[in-house]
Amino acid sequence: MENKKLVTILVPAYNEQEVLNMLYDRLKNIMDENTNYDFEVLLVNDGSKDNTLNIIMELREKDKRINYLNLSRNYGKETAMIAGLDYIKGDCVVIIDADLQDPPELIPEMLKYWEEGYDDVYAKRNSRKGETFLKKFTSKMYYKILQGFTKIEIQKDTGDFRLLDRRCVEALKQIRESQRYTKGLFSWIGYNKKEIRYDRDPRAAGATHWNYKKLIDLSIDGITSFTTSPLRWSAIIGVLVSLAGFIYMIVIICQTLINGVTTPGYASTMVVILFLGGIQLIFLGVIGEYLGRAFYETKRRPLYFIDRYNEERETNLKKKEN
Ligand code: UDP
Ligand code: MG
């Protein structure tokens, strides 16, 4: 008997008690139908406050293909994903949301392309059912801005739903930055990419964990973790403004030489002060963003702590890194 390849399905879950059983049924179908592969499901419980962990443990009782990782608290999806990647066993991994917005039925197609030699088969959404106009609009604008700033190509309308070959996983595991923007990292590591299309379903049950604050945070992380061009733009705009200031200075000097000292000028003085003040504050903010990132990264804290992997209780003495 030849050895079957092991496929890991990685699912970060935070307060997903309503959908987990549905998710399991859909995944079970896929796993049972594709007999050419062995499957492992790794559920990462990201510090859920509801019954998620208990449901996961019950599922594992039923089906030993299910493994779980319980994090010590809620770290957010980005961190839950890297924690999961650290623990997967498969020759490839499919990252999928717990809420069934990403149809597991796409997995066989992903596997097909993987067999053809692609390392990163990502699913791009055709439509976004059940999402508000504002969310769609802001995400579209955001991609535009991000793409304007960075040189690496970031896939539009693509989430974390994708199949990654083992070597992509090993690459991602080496990137230990704490302010993660995984969507950009997928592009940054390179390798052979293949796009497939799908219709994103609305959430099967439960509520989204996203809000605009998180979205804005993630967007800023996205820009600041991949490019320093906002800093360069600050400098360029600074040069332009001071050039304009210099010209205005010449104008004022000439006027004073020709007309003598005339006191009026309140309006123009105020305009200049307010404008320059505003620009300076904005650029200080930009510098602050980068300084803040440097601050977090220099602490070199571990990205997460885990409470247990399956039945094994983790002690902090046993350190799992890289
Ligand atoms: N998630 C997580 N930790 C969090 C928030 C979300 O692991 O702090 C998981 C969540 O369980 C789901 C996925 O990330 O599997 C996507 O979350 P959600 O559906 O809320 O986001 P959306 O699809 O609305 O962007
Ligand atoms: Mg969702």
Side-chain angles (χ1 to χ4, degrees), residues 115-314:
E115 291 294 348
E116 284 177 16
Y118 291 101
D119 298 296
D120 177 356
V121 186
Y122 62 91
K124 181 169 172 160
R125 358 175 222 265
N126 286 324
S127 63
R128 303 173 132 210
K129 280 182 241 162
E131 291 189 3
T132 59
F133 168 77
L134 199 62
K135 187 166 177 188
K136 284 187 237 178
F137 178 76
T138 44
S139 108
K140 200 166 149 193
M141 287 310 295
Y142 173 63
Y143 276 114
K144 277 233 172 80
I145 296 173
L146 183 62
Q147 215 56 102
F149 272 136
T150 65
K151 279 176 211 77
I152 56 155
E153 196 190 325
I154 302 212
Q155 288 101 20
K156 242 174 87 184
D157 285 334
T158 308
D160 302 316
F161 182 29
R162 58 182 70 221
L163 179 148
L164 295 169
D165 183 73
R166 186 84 216 179
R167 53 183 186 159
C168 295
V169 175
E170 293 305 325
L172 289 171
K173 277 162 68 174
Q174 286 178 41
I175 304 176
R176 307 306 290 187
E177 59 193 50
S178 61
Q179 314 286 296
R180 300 181 80 78
Y181 182 68
T182 315
K183 207 184 284 190
L185 296 179
F186 292 136
S187 305
W188 191 82
I189 59 169
Y191 293 116
N192 261 333
K193 299 202 183 315
K194 172 77 190 169
E195 170 182 305
I196 58 177
R197 294 282 191 147
Y198 78 114
D199 289 311
R200 189 160 166 92
D201 296 322
R203 201 171 226 292
T208 173
H209 308 101
W210 283 110
N211 51 44
Y212 278 94
K213 189 186 166 298
K214 275 195 192 169
L215 214 58
I216 291 170
D217 282 352
L218 189 67
S219 318
I220 294 177
D221 277 348
I223 293 173
T224 50
S225 65
F226 282 95
T227 171
T228 50
S229 66
L231 291 175
R232 176 149 315 155
W233 276 105
S234 307
I236 293 171
I237 293 172
V239 169
L240 293 179
V241 169
S242 61
L243 208 69
F246 182 75
I247 294 170
Y248 190 46
M249 183 186 82
I250 303 280
V251 172
I252 292 175
I253 289 176
C254 292
Q255 273 179 346
T256 317
L257 286 179
I258 296 164
N259 301 337
V261 179
T262 48
T263 318
Y266 173 75
S268 55
T269 315
M270 281 312 279
V271 166
V272 169
I273 290 177
L274 291 177
F275 178 69
L276 287 185
I279 285 205
Q280 279 171 352
L281 287 181
I282 292 171
F283 291 170
L284 270 181
V286 173
I287 297 170
E289 267 310 316
Y290 285 95
L291 189 63
R293 288 189 70 82
F295 168 71
Y296 281 120
E297 300 304 341
T298 48
K299 291 204 245 191
R300 303 198 57 83
R301 287 190 184 165
L303 297 180
Y304 58 86
F305 287 111
I306 75 160
D307 165 55
R308 60 175 61 218
Y309 175 68
N310 294 338
E311 288 73 29
E312 260 169 69
R313 220 179 119 94
E314 192 88 351

Side-chain angles (χ1 to χ4, degrees), residues 97 99 101 200 203:
D97 278 2
D99 58 7
Q101 280 193 289
R200 189 160 166 92
R203 201 171 226 292

